[in-house]
Amino acid sequence: NKGIPFLPFAPLGVIGAAAATVLSRCQRFDFKRIDNSDIAKRLLYVAQCENISLTAEAANLIAVLSDGGLRDALSILDQ
């Protein structure tokens, strides 16, 4: 924390270079929502593998409720 007080008094070039270095070392992931049809297909596959009775209508409803998140859909199926 001793390095923090000098930042307001550091030249702009030093702060800009430090910020550019930090940004260049960060990974950025752009996630998109998964289509409901893909989620429903995956839910039916998981249900079949786990010997769970699941209709296509129920899989579609879970897909809509999960709002594009497969992990959320699997959590709902698990409940």
Side-chain angles (χ1 to χ4, degrees):
N1 289 343
K2 291 183 179 183
I4 293 174
F6 84 89
L7 285 178
F9 306 108
L12 282 178
V14 172
I15 294 173
T21 301
V22 170
L23 288 177
S24 69
R25 294 173 189 245
C26 294
Q27 293 182 346
R28 180 178 169 162
F29 298 100
D30 294 323
F31 294 107
K32 296 184 285 185
R33 301 204 181 274
I34 302 171
D35 290 333
N36 288 343
S37 61
D38 292 333
I39 291 175
K41 288 177 192 174
R42 189 63 178 180
L43 289 174
L44 289 169
Y45 171 77
V46 169
Q48 180 185 9
C49 290
E50 297 294 326
N51 294 323
I52 299 171
S53 177
L54 181 69
T55 64
E57 293 81 18
N60 287 329
L61 179 60
I62 293 172
V64 169
L65 292 174
S66 68
D67 195 31
L70 184 58
R71 182 172 50 181
D72 292 341
L74 292 172
S75 295
I76 294 170
L77 178 65
D78 190 40
Q79 292 177 6

